[in-house]
Amino acid sequence: MEVLMPEPQIYVERTLAIIKPDVIDKEEEIEDLILRSGFHIIQKRKLQLSPEQCSNFYAEQFGKVFFPNLTAYMSSGPIVAMVLARNCAVSYWKELLGPSNSLRARISHPHSLRAIYGTDELRNGLHGSLSISSAEKEIRFLFPEAILEPVPTGQRARDYLNVCVKPTLLAGLTALCKEKPADPMIWLADWLIEHNPNKPKLQYRVCQ
């Protein structure tokens, strides 16, 4: 009797990393350390959050004595948000960051990123998700268009294409036939980007 084995699938874990306002000038240096530590930077965005957006992002910290200073600090200038991927990304990134209090990090984890780039307990230079579930939540907050689930296959894939892809693609091809541009591939690509129904709904002030 033939035993049917499922096709092997590799699920790479993702986590959120944020370079905070006070170390934004160290962006390239920090990214180099991230890449040399075995991570892939899947998505990256430079932006400045409003105090209200920071309050929503750190909603679980609401009510704590440092909350007003935290939101003021995080909205004081541009940040760089990154989706990092590798096996066990959450735990490895937490290990690379070190303790949240930079002063303690310098004693217990002197080679950690917060020990190197942080100033004190509040201004610790970088953010990392605490768990897989918080990583998913935080990535969705800063990258609403991100696809975190495994890519669907079989009937799920056909359903997704029929509902989410085909209507937009059909509209784009129809517009392409009417327009008859000189370079149809580039025109269609630009049209699909402009008419993407899954554009992020959050409005951020993007830094140039």
Side-chain angles (χ1 to χ4, degrees), residues 83-127:
V83 179
L84 308 183
R86 62 161 292 169
N87 291 331
C88 303
V90 173
S91 59
Y92 275 115
W93 179 236
K94 286 166 62 179
E95 181 180 348
L96 190 61
L97 286 177
S100 59
N101 187 327
S102 296
L103 299 177
R104 294 178 183 172
R106 291 193 187 100
I107 298 172
S108 61
H109 297 74
H111 301 294
S112 66
L113 295 182
R114 284 172 173 159
I116 297 169
Y117 296 104
T119 303
D120 50 36
E121 184 175 5
L122 178 65
R123 289 173 167 77
N124 58 10
L126 297 119
H127 169 85

Side-chain angles (χ1 to χ4, degrees), residues 22-112:
D22 52 326
V23 293
I24 198 74
D25 60 323
K26 303 291 186 180
E27 176 187 349
E28 291 186 10
E29 184 178 314
I30 292 171
E31 286 183 25
D32 182 60
L33 287 169
I34 289 171
L35 294 173
R36 287 195 284 113
S37 298
F39 291 92
H40 294 278
I41 300 176
I42 303 300
Q43 289 180 281
K44 175 183 167 183
R45 171 173 292 170
K46 189 173 184 179
L47 62 150
Q48 183 165 352
L49 298 175
S50 68
E52 181 182 1
Q53 288 168 334
C54 290
S55 296
N56 291 334
F57 183 80
Y58 287 105
E60 293 182 0
Q61 307 293 338
F62 182 78
K64 295 184 179 179
V65 65
F66 59 80
F67 185 77
N69 289 334
L70 175 63
T71 55
Y73 161 49
M74 289 300 294
S75 60
S76 64
I79 63 170
V80 174
M82 293 173 285
V83 179
L84 308 183
R86 62 161 292 169
N87 291 331
C88 303
V90 173
S91 59
Y92 275 115
W93 179 236
K94 286 166 62 179
E95 181 180 348
L96 190 61
L97 286 177
S100 59
N101 187 327
S102 296
L103 299 177
R104 294 178 183 172
R106 291 193 187 100
I107 298 172
S108 61
H109 297 74
H111 301 294
S112 66

Side-chain angles (χ1 to χ4, degrees), residues 170-181:
L170 181 60
L173 291 172
T174 302
L176 175 67
C177 292
K178 294 179 179 178
E179 187 71 20
K180 296 182 175 62

